[in-house]
Amino acid sequence: QEGDAEAGATVFKKCAICHIVDSDTNKVGPSLNHVLGRTAGTHPDFKYSPAMIDAGKGGLIWDEATLRDYLHNPKAKVKGTKMVFPGLKDEGDISNLLAYLKQYSQ
Ligand code: HEM
């Protein structure tokens, strides 16, 4: 089921306290501009946790499947991540959010 990017913009409000999506600026979290296709832990000028850097070195690339897992339960997908966010429990919310993030990954 394809997500609804407009609904995803509303879900993204939960992320926007820490993440910007429409520019390369880092906040508490790394910019999520062009996150689809990115190797984990590689956005310039952001101080990632060792866990996130290791995940990227281990081959973790953010695509729809890996983002879905991470957003469902960040600390299960990347043990030791410093992202303090409990995760999204509603798969529909995640689908909508992915459609939104995709718009900024073209
Ligand atoms: C990392 C997405 C909420 C803080 C990340 C990464 C993604 C992501 C994809 C990895 C990026 C990369 O490898 O370059 C999201 C989404 C959120 C959300 C979609 C909302 C659903 C939050 C919130 C905070 C936060 C609310 C702050 C309280 C961080 C931090 C990192 C991170 C600090 C770096 C983690 C590390 O180095 O281990 N986020 N995030 N995020 N996020 Fe979030």
Side-chain angles (χ1 to χ4, degrees), residues 15 18-19 28 38 40-41 48-49 62 71 81-84:
C15 324
C18 298
H19 292 284
V28 170
R38 176 189 302 172
Y48 288 95
S49 65
W62 297 124
L71 296 176
T81 181
K82 67 175 185 177
M83 175 159 117
V84 179

Side-chain angles (χ1 to χ4, degrees), residues 14-15 17-19 28-30 32 35 38 40-43 46 48-49 52 62 67 70-71 81-85 88 97 101:
K14 295 181 177 172
C15 324
I17 181 171
C18 298
H19 292 284
V28 170
L32 297 180
V35 70
R38 176 189 302 172
T42 61
H43 194 267
F46 184 79
Y48 288 95
S49 65
M52 188 63 77
W62 297 124
L67 279 171
Y70 184 63
L71 296 176
T81 181
K82 67 175 185 177
M83 175 159 117
V84 179
F85 184 74
L88 295 169
L97 183 57
L101 292 176

Side-chain angles (χ1 to χ4, degrees), residues 4-41:
D4 172 350
E6 219 172 295
T10 302
V11 180
F12 188 75
K13 289 181 182 166
K14 295 181 177 172
C15 324
I17 181 171
C18 298
H19 292 284
I20 283 176
V21 70
D22 58 358
S23 85
D24 279 339
T25 308
N26 298 314
K27 291 172 82 180
V28 170
S31 163
L32 297 180
N33 198 231
H34 292 109
V35 70
L36 282 131
R38 176 189 302 172
T39 297

Side-chain angles (χ1 to χ4, degrees), residues 36-75:
L36 282 131
R38 176 189 302 172
T39 297
T42 61
H43 194 267
D45 302 322
F46 184 79
K47 195 164 167 38
Y48 288 95
S49 65
M52 188 63 77
I53 290 168
D54 284 353
K57 285 185 177 153
L60 179 59
I61 294 172
W62 297 124
D63 60 22
E64 290 193 45
T66 58
L67 279 171
R68 184 174 288 279
D69 282 353
Y70 184 63
L71 296 176
H72 187 69
N73 188 340
K75 291 195 189 302

